[in-house]
Amino acid sequence: MSDGAGRSVFVVEDEPKIAAVLRDYLLAGGYAPRLFRDGGTALAALRDDPPAAMILDLMLPGMTGLALCQAVRGFSAVPIMMLTARADEIDRLRGLDAGADDYVCKPFSAREVMARLAALLRRAEGRVTADQAAARRHVVDTAGRRIAWRGQWLPLSGAEYAIAAALMQQPGRVFSRDQLLDRLGERASDSSDRAIDSHIKNIRKKLATVDPEATCIAAVYGAGYRFDG
C-alpha cells in the first residue's frame, strides 16, 4: 500500500507552480490533496472536513499562513508543515510558536517535503500520549479517527466518532440533527434524526465511563446539540 493510503492533505499555497508540484508528489504518494490559494477558504474547509495534515505557505494573500496556523490551533491538532521563502531564525520560531509542527524553507526538495510529511503523520497517528490527552481533557485525533478523554481513548463507533469530533472541534456551536447526519456521510443513508439522539446517548455513556462528571454535550431545545468545551 502507498504511504498516503488515501489520506487527505490540504495544500495552502498561492503560487500555482509550487502548488502543482506538491499536488503531483502527493498524488504519486497515494495522498488525496486539496489545493487552496487563501487562508480563509482553507480554514472553512478544515472546519467542515478535517484533513490528515496540512502544508501551509507562510506568505498568503489576506489571512497569512501565521494567522491561519493560529486559528487552526484554536480547535484542531492537525499536523501542519509550514513553507516559506524566509530563512531567518525568527521567522521559523514564529511559525513554530504559532503551532506549526515542521518548517521547510523555499526552494525545497519535494521529496524532502514528502518524507517530512510521512514523519509528521507517523508522530500524529496514535501517538497522543496519555499525559498530553489528560492535560488537554480531550484530544481529537483526526488522522487516526479517534478521541481521547482524560487520557483514555474512547471506544467509539465510526458514526459516534464523526458526531463527537464535529461537536468537539467547534465548542459552543449548535449543530442541528441534520448537520450531524451530514457528518456521517454514507452512513447517513441508514440513519435518521432519532439515530442521532441514540448516538449522542451512547457517546455520553462512553464519556461517563471515563469521567462520571462529564456533562459537556448539551441538548439545545428545538435546535440540536452543543459541546461545551
Side-chain angles (χ1 to χ4, degrees), residues 1 4 36 66 68 81 86 104-105 111 116 214 224-226:
M1 181 178 292
F36 301 90
L66 208 62
L68 174 57
M81 181 189 302
R86 296 179 175 181
V104 179
C105 293
R111 290 183 178 180
R116 285 175 177 257
Y225 292 97
R226 179 188 69 237

Side-chain angles (χ1 to χ4, degrees), residues 1-9 26-27 29-33 52:
M1 181 178 292
S2 60
D3 292 340
R7 287 174 289 193
S8 171
V9 176
L26 286 165
L27 287 171
Y31 297 94

Side-chain angles (χ1 to χ4, degrees), residues 145 147 154-168 184 187 195 198-204 206 217:
R145 293 188 64 79
I147 293 172
L154 300 175
L156 301 174
S157 69
E160 290 162 2
Y161 165 80
I163 292 169
L167 293 168
M168 291 180 179
L184 300 185
R187 301 185 188 93
S198 178
H199 289 316
I200 292 289
K201 182 179 179 180
N202 289 336
I203 293 167
R204 285 170 169 165
K206 291 174 182 180
I217 299 180

Side-chain angles (χ1 to χ4, degrees), residues 30-41:
Y31 297 94
R34 291 184 61 185
L35 305 187
F36 301 90
R37 298 192 65 178
D38 66 273
T41 304

Side-chain angles (χ1 to χ4, degrees), residues 81-100:
M81 181 189 302
M82 192 165 280
L83 304 177
T84 183
R86 296 179 175 181
D88 293 342
E89 181 183 24
I90 186 63
D91 291 311
R92 293 197 299 272
L93 292 176
R94 282 180 176 177
L96 296 172
D97 286 344

Side-chain angles (χ1 to χ4, degrees), residues 195-217:
I196 294 296
D197 295 338
S198 178
H199 289 316
I200 292 289
K201 182 179 179 180
N202 289 336
I203 293 167
R204 285 170 169 165
K205 284 182 178 179
K206 291 174 182 180
L207 284 170
T209 62
V210 174
D211 182 3
E213 303 301 318
T215 56
C216 52
I217 299 180

